[in-house]
Each structure stands twice: as C-alpha cells, then as structure tokens.
Amino acid sequence: MSARPGFLSRIAHRALIALYRGRGYRIEGSAPPVAKCVVLGAPHTSNWDFVFVLGAVEDLGMRPAFMGKHTLFRWPMTRFMYDMGGVSVDRSRRKANYVSQVADAFARADQLALVIAPEGSRTSGGEWRSGFWHIARAAGVPIVPAWVDQDGRRGGIGEALWPSEDFAADLAQLAAFYRTKRPECDRFDRLAEQAERLAARGDDTLADS
C-alpha cells in the first residue's frame, strides 16, 4: 500500500483542484477504460492549459502524472514531486534515453495517466513533436487526446488511440479529432498539414522532444 502524500503535496493538490473547479470548466467525454495511458493536452496556448488537463484527468477518476527534470526530484523536493505525480527524467544519461525511462515508470505503475503537451511550448505554432508517440509505443499504452478552449471554459477527453507503426497516420487521426472539437483553431489546421507532409515524404517519425 502506498504511503499517504505529504502535507505540502496535499495542500498543493487541493489548490490545483480548487483553481480548476473555480474556473468553471465544462468537460465533454469520459475516462477511457484503461489503467495507463498518455494524455495529450492541446492546444497549448495558456498557462491554464496544464491546470485544466490535470484537473480534468483527476475529475474523471484517472491518476494524472507529468514528466520533470531529474534535478527537481532532489532533496528536499523528492517526496513532493513524486506525490504530485512527477516522473523523473534524466536526459544526461547516454545509455538510457528519456523514452525508456518513462516506459520503465509505466511498467512499475498500476495506474498512470501521463499528461504531455505535444506542441512542446506555446510558441510552436501548432506542429507537434513525436516524443508522446514514442513513449506510448515503448510503454505499450494508448494515446488519449484531451482538448481545451480557455475562452469558452470548456474542454474534453477523446477516445483512446493505440499507436500504430505509422506516426504520420496516427498524427492525421489525432488532427482530425481535434479539428472536430476546435474547428476555429488554426493550430489544428497546421497539425493536419504536418501529418500530410510527413505522409508525402514517407516519414513515420520525428526527432524526439
């Protein structure tokens, strides 16, 4: 049985959920019938996006987690970071890339919903990195798309997508889903264009984020 979270992490967790609920988000969709998955949060245009996705994932009965640089997990922050759902990643390790490290974390967990912003940053313009896809394939878990509309205070969770061997095809399927939810968002138009370019070149992967 896991230990009870520490005092600071309980306070921070309650504050996060209070922020999420205080903004009055409306959620569409339901939690997928899986214990482990990679949850995509898009578009990434506001600092509130992370609050929404983590809050929505928990509200739906899932256990949210996030990746963090290994130096953030050093004492005295070790317990706090793990209690908050952190997954330590050491990118300086040459013999174990971060995809393998996160896949190992999935293997050790009974339940894990790893939240990732596939755009990497708010200034990406809409194109995605492929790290989420490589992680899902390495861990043998599905990809769950989550979307948010900060202006409308709404968002949702889509159906789980099991990654194939074709990144471009999976990216096109995800872009199609997001465009149905946010047809006015030009970032998802650029995502669809990215998938088309990759398919035309015959590329099925991108450089890891």
Side-chain angles (χ1 to χ4, degrees):
M1 183 176 180
S2 60
R4 185 187 183 195
F7 175 75
L8 287 179
S9 59
R10 294 200 305 272
I11 293 298
H13 177 265
R14 290 170 186 168
L16 177 67
I17 295 303
L19 284 171
Y20 162 75
R21 292 177 177 164
R23 285 177 67 83
Y25 290 112
R26 292 173 289 119
I27 303 179
E28 298 178 12
S30 57
V34 294
K36 306 177 187 181
C37 60
V38 171
V39 180
L40 305 182
H44 184 26
T45 59
S46 165
N47 289 329
W48 286 102
D49 298 334
F50 188 69
V51 172
F52 166 78
V53 177
L54 287 180
V57 166
E58 175 146 330
D59 228 13
L60 293 171
M62 305 162 69
R63 181 185 178 187
F66 59 92
M67 290 187 293
K69 190 175 181 180
H70 71 287
T71 53
L72 297 175
F73 291 76
R74 293 173 179 167
W75 189 90
M77 297 296 292
T78 306
R79 181 176 180 181
F80 175 81
M81 291 298 293
Y82 284 119
D83 283 350
M84 292 300 294
V87 175
S88 176
V89 174
D90 184 354
R91 292 189 181 234
S92 68
R93 293 170 56 191
R94 294 182 179 179
K95 293 184 179 180
N97 64 39
Y98 86 99
V99 171
S100 297
Q101 294 175 55
V102 179
D104 288 344
F106 268 106
R108 294 191 299 268
D110 294 325
Q111 294 184 349
L112 183 61
L114 182 66
V115 176
I116 295 177
E119 292 167 289
S121 71
R122 290 177 294 170
T123 59
S124 72
E127 294 201 352
W128 287 11
R129 300 178 179 179
S130 63
F132 74 91
W133 184 77
H134 289 292
I135 289 172
R137 281 176 52 80
V141 300
I143 297 165
V144 176
W147 60 277
V148 61
D149 174 4
Q150 293 294 348
D151 292 335
R153 295 288 194 273
R154 64 191 187 95
I157 301 286
E159 294 184 2
L161 167 69
W162 288 92
S164 69
E165 297 182 357
D166 187 337
F167 176 69
D170 291 346
L171 199 64
Q173 189 170 341
L174 289 165
F177 165 78
Y178 279 102
R179 290 173 90 182
T180 64
K181 298 301 181 182
R182 293 288 309 277
E184 83 293 351
C185 182
D186 58 7
R187 282 181 176 242
F188 296 134
D189 293 335
R190 287 193 286 272
L191 179 62
E193 293 168 0
Q194 178 188 1
E196 291 175 1
R197 288 197 309 272
L198 290 172
R201 293 204 308 258
D203 293 345
D204 59 1
T205 60
L206 285 175
D208 289 351
S209 58

Short mmCIF file of all heavy atoms in Angstrom, two decimals, residues 134-166:
data_model
loop_
_atom_site.label_atom_id
_atom_site.label_comp_id
_atom_site.label_asym_id
_atom_site.label_seq_id
_atom_site.Cartn_x
_atom_site.Cartn_y
_atom_site.Cartn_z
N HIS A 134 6.41 8.01 -29.26
CA HIS A 134 7.45 7.04 -28.93
C HIS A 134 7.25 6.48 -27.52
O HIS A 134 7.46 5.27 -27.29
CB HIS A 134 8.83 7.70 -29.04
CG HIS A 134 9.25 7.99 -30.44
ND1 HIS A 134 9.54 7.02 -31.36
CD2 HIS A 134 9.41 9.18 -31.10
CE1 HIS A 134 9.90 7.56 -32.51
NE2 HIS A 134 9.80 8.87 -32.38
N ILE A 135 6.85 7.33 -26.59
CA ILE A 135 6.60 6.87 -25.22
C ILE A 135 5.45 5.87 -25.19
O ILE A 135 5.54 4.80 -24.57
CB ILE A 135 6.30 8.06 -24.29
CG1 ILE A 135 7.55 8.88 -24.05
CG2 ILE A 135 5.71 7.58 -22.96
CD1 ILE A 135 7.32 10.19 -23.32
N ALA A 136 4.36 6.19 -25.85
CA ALA A 136 3.19 5.30 -25.86
C ALA A 136 3.54 3.95 -26.47
O ALA A 136 3.14 2.90 -25.97
CB ALA A 136 2.04 5.96 -26.63
N ARG A 137 4.30 3.97 -27.57
CA ARG A 137 4.69 2.71 -28.20
C ARG A 137 5.63 1.90 -27.31
O ARG A 137 5.48 0.68 -27.17
CB ARG A 137 5.35 2.99 -29.55
CG ARG A 137 4.35 3.30 -30.66
CD ARG A 137 5.05 3.68 -31.96
NE ARG A 137 6.05 2.72 -32.38
CZ ARG A 137 5.79 1.57 -33.00
NH1 ARG A 137 4.54 1.24 -33.28
NH2 ARG A 137 6.76 0.75 -33.37
N ALA A 138 6.60 2.57 -26.70
CA ALA A 138 7.56 1.86 -25.85
C ALA A 138 6.90 1.28 -24.60
O ALA A 138 7.27 0.20 -24.14
CB ALA A 138 8.70 2.80 -25.45
N ALA A 139 5.92 2.01 -24.07
CA ALA A 139 5.23 1.57 -22.85
C ALA A 139 4.08 0.61 -23.15
O ALA A 139 3.56 -0.02 -22.23
CB ALA A 139 4.71 2.78 -22.08
N GLY A 140 3.66 0.55 -24.41
CA GLY A 140 2.53 -0.32 -24.76
C GLY A 140 1.22 0.20 -24.21
O GLY A 140 0.37 -0.58 -23.74
N VAL A 141 1.03 1.53 -24.28
CA VAL A 141 -0.19 2.15 -23.75
C VAL A 141 -0.84 3.00 -24.85
O VAL A 141 -0.17 3.43 -25.79
CB VAL A 141 0.10 3.02 -22.52
CG1 VAL A 141 0.71 2.18 -21.40
CG2 VAL A 141 1.01 4.19 -22.88
N PRO A 142 -2.14 3.27 -24.72
CA PRO A 142 -2.81 4.10 -25.72
C PRO A 142 -2.59 5.59 -25.51
O PRO A 142 -2.13 6.02 -24.46
CB PRO A 142 -4.29 3.74 -25.52
CG PRO A 142 -4.40 3.42 -24.07
CD PRO A 142 -3.10 2.72 -23.73
N ILE A 143 -2.92 6.35 -26.53
CA ILE A 143 -2.85 7.81 -26.50
C ILE A 143 -4.27 8.34 -26.36
O ILE A 143 -5.17 7.94 -27.10
CB ILE A 143 -2.22 8.35 -27.80
CG1 ILE A 143 -0.78 7.85 -27.95
CG2 ILE A 143 -2.30 9.87 -27.85
CD1 ILE A 143 -0.22 8.03 -29.34
N VAL A 144 -4.48 9.22 -25.38
CA VAL A 144 -5.81 9.80 -25.15
C VAL A 144 -5.75 11.30 -25.42
O VAL A 144 -5.05 12.03 -24.72
CB VAL A 144 -6.27 9.54 -23.70
CG1 VAL A 144 -7.61 10.23 -23.43
CG2 VAL A 144 -6.39 8.04 -23.45
N PRO A 145 -6.47 11.79 -26.43
CA PRO A 145 -6.44 13.22 -26.73
C PRO A 145 -7.35 14.02 -25.80
O PRO A 145 -8.51 13.68 -25.59
CB PRO A 145 -6.95 13.28 -28.17
CG PRO A 145 -7.87 12.10 -28.29
CD PRO A 145 -7.27 11.03 -27.42
N ALA A 146 -6.81 15.07 -25.22
CA ALA A 146 -7.59 15.99 -24.40
C ALA A 146 -7.49 17.38 -25.02
O ALA A 146 -6.42 17.78 -25.47
CB ALA A 146 -7.07 16.02 -22.97
N TRP A 147 -8.59 18.10 -25.08
CA TRP A 147 -8.60 19.42 -25.70
C TRP A 147 -9.18 20.43 -24.74
O TRP A 147 -9.90 20.09 -23.80
CB TRP A 147 -9.41 19.40 -26.99
CG TRP A 147 -10.85 19.01 -26.78
CD1 TRP A 147 -11.36 17.74 -26.69
CD2 TRP A 147 -11.96 19.89 -26.62
NE1 TRP A 147 -12.71 17.77 -26.47
CE2 TRP A 147 -13.12 19.08 -26.43
CE3 TRP A 147 -12.10 21.28 -26.61
CZ2 TRP A 147 -14.38 19.62 -26.23
CZ3 TRP A 147 -13.37 21.82 -26.43
CH2 TRP A 147 -14.49 20.99 -26.24
N VAL A 148 -8.84 21.70 -24.98
CA VAL A 148 -9.33 22.75 -24.10
C VAL A 148 -9.59 24.02 -24.89
O VAL A 148 -8.89 24.32 -25.86
CB VAL A 148 -8.32 23.03 -22.96
CG1 VAL A 148 -6.98 23.47 -23.52
CG2 VAL A 148 -8.85 24.06 -21.97
N ASP A 149 -10.62 24.73 -24.49
CA ASP A 149 -10.96 26.04 -25.05
C ASP A 149 -11.03 26.99 -23.86
O ASP A 149 -12.03 27.02 -23.14
CB ASP A 149 -12.31 25.97 -25.78
CG ASP A 149 -12.79 27.34 -26.26
OD1 ASP A 149 -12.04 28.33 -26.10
OD2 ASP A 149 -13.91 27.42 -26.78
N GLN A 150 -9.94 27.74 -23.64
CA GLN A 150 -9.87 28.59 -22.46
C GLN A 150 -10.91 29.72 -22.50
O GLN A 150 -11.47 30.09 -21.47
CB GLN A 150 -8.46 29.18 -22.31
CG GLN A 150 -7.39 28.15 -21.98
CD GLN A 150 -7.57 27.52 -20.61
OE1 GLN A 150 -8.36 27.99 -19.79
NE2 GLN A 150 -6.86 26.44 -20.35
N ASP A 151 -11.17 30.27 -23.67
CA ASP A 151 -12.15 31.35 -23.77
C ASP A 151 -13.56 30.87 -23.41
O ASP A 151 -14.32 31.58 -22.74
CB ASP A 151 -12.16 31.93 -25.19
CG ASP A 151 -10.88 32.67 -25.52
OD1 ASP A 151 -10.22 33.14 -24.57
OD2 ASP A 151 -10.54 32.77 -26.71
N GLY A 152 -13.89 29.66 -23.84
CA GLY A 152 -15.22 29.12 -23.56
C GLY A 152 -15.30 28.33 -22.27
O GLY A 152 -16.37 27.81 -21.92
N ARG A 153 -14.15 28.22 -21.57
CA ARG A 153 -14.11 27.45 -20.32
C ARG A 153 -14.66 26.03 -20.52
O ARG A 153 -15.47 25.53 -19.74
CB ARG A 153 -14.90 28.14 -19.20
CG ARG A 153 -14.35 29.46 -18.77
CD ARG A 153 -13.05 29.30 -17.99
NE ARG A 153 -12.71 30.54 -17.31
CZ ARG A 153 -12.02 31.53 -17.85
NH1 ARG A 153 -11.60 31.42 -19.11
NH2 ARG A 153 -11.73 32.62 -17.16
N ARG A 154 -14.23 25.39 -21.57
CA ARG A 154 -14.70 24.04 -21.84
C ARG A 154 -13.56 23.19 -22.38
O ARG A 154 -12.52 23.71 -22.82
CB ARG A 154 -15.85 24.04 -22.84
CG ARG A 154 -15.48 24.55 -24.20
CD ARG A 154 -16.69 24.80 -25.10
NE ARG A 154 -16.26 25.13 -26.46
CZ ARG A 154 -16.15 24.26 -27.44
NH1 ARG A 154 -16.46 22.99 -27.22
NH2 ARG A 154 -15.74 24.62 -28.64
N GLY A 155 -13.74 21.91 -22.32
CA GLY A 155 -12.73 21.00 -22.83
C GLY A 155 -13.26 19.59 -22.77
O GLY A 155 -14.43 19.36 -22.43
N GLY A 156 -12.42 18.64 -23.12
CA GLY A 156 -12.90 17.27 -23.11
C GLY A 156 -11.82 16.25 -23.35
O GLY A 156 -10.65 16.56 -23.59
N ILE A 157 -12.25 15.01 -23.28
CA ILE A 157 -11.38 13.85 -23.45
C ILE A 157 -11.95 13.02 -24.61
O ILE A 157 -13.15 12.78 -24.68
CB ILE A 157 -11.35 12.99 -22.18
CG1 ILE A 157 -10.85 13.80 -20.98
CG2 ILE A 157 -10.52 11.73 -22.39
CD1 ILE A 157 -9.37 14.06 -20.98
N GLY A 158 -11.08 12.58 -25.49
CA GLY A 158 -11.50 11.75 -26.62
C GLY A 158 -11.26 10.27 -26.34
O GLY A 158 -10.78 9.89 -25.27
N GLU A 159 -11.55 9.45 -27.32
CA GLU A 159 -11.35 8.02 -27.20
C GLU A 159 -9.87 7.67 -27.32
O GLU A 159 -9.10 8.36 -28.00
CB GLU A 159 -12.15 7.27 -28.27
CG GLU A 159 -13.66 7.40 -28.10
CD GLU A 159 -14.41 6.57 -29.11
OE1 GLU A 159 -13.75 5.86 -29.92
OE2 GLU A 159 -15.65 6.62 -29.11
N ALA A 160 -9.49 6.60 -26.68
CA ALA A 160 -8.09 6.16 -26.70
C ALA A 160 -7.70 5.68 -28.09
O ALA A 160 -8.47 5.01 -28.78
CB ALA A 160 -7.88 5.04 -25.68
N LEU A 161 -6.50 6.05 -28.49
CA LEU A 161 -5.93 5.63 -29.77
C LEU A 161 -4.68 4.81 -29.49
O LEU A 161 -3.72 5.31 -28.90
CB LEU A 161 -5.58 6.86 -30.62
CG LEU A 161 -4.70 6.60 -31.85
CD1 LEU A 161 -5.49 5.82 -32.90
CD2 LEU A 161 -4.19 7.91 -32.44
N TRP A 162 -4.69 3.56 -29.94
CA TRP A 162 -3.49 2.74 -29.79
C TRP A 162 -2.54 3.08 -30.93
O TRP A 162 -2.92 3.03 -32.09
CB TRP A 162 -3.85 1.26 -29.82
CG TRP A 162 -4.54 0.83 -28.56
CD1 TRP A 162 -5.88 0.80 -28.34
CD2 TRP A 162 -3.92 0.39 -27.35
NE1 TRP A 162 -6.14 0.37 -27.06
CE2 TRP A 162 -4.96 0.11 -26.43
CE3 TRP A 162 -2.59 0.21 -26.96
CZ2 TRP A 162 -4.70 -0.33 -25.13
CZ3 TRP A 162 -2.34 -0.24 -25.67
CH2 TRP A 162 -3.38 -0.51 -24.77
N PRO A 163 -1.31 3.49 -30.62
CA PRO A 163 -0.39 3.91 -31.67
C PRO A 163 -0.04 2.77 -32.63
O PRO A 163 0.15 1.62 -32.20
CB PRO A 163 0.84 4.38 -30.89
CG PRO A 163 0.77 3.65 -29.58
CD PRO A 163 -0.69 3.54 -29.28
N SER A 164 0.02 3.10 -33.90
CA SER A 164 0.39 2.13 -34.92
C SER A 164 1.89 2.23 -35.17
O SER A 164 2.62 2.82 -34.38
CB SER A 164 -0.39 2.41 -36.20
OG SER A 164 0.06 3.63 -36.80
N GLU A 165 2.36 1.70 -36.31
CA GLU A 165 3.75 1.83 -36.68
C GLU A 165 3.97 3.03 -37.61
O GLU A 165 5.07 3.23 -38.10
CB GLU A 165 4.25 0.54 -37.34
CG GLU A 165 4.21 -0.67 -36.42
CD GLU A 165 4.74 -1.93 -37.09
OE1 GLU A 165 5.09 -1.85 -38.30
OE2 GLU A 165 4.83 -2.96 -36.43
N ASP A 166 2.91 3.79 -37.83
CA ASP A 166 2.97 4.91 -38.77
C ASP A 166 2.62 6.21 -38.04
O ASP A 166 1.45 6.49 -37.79
CB ASP A 166 1.97 4.65 -39.92
CG ASP A 166 2.09 5.68 -41.04
OD1 ASP A 166 2.57 6.79 -40.78
OD2 ASP A 166 1.68 5.35 -42.17
#
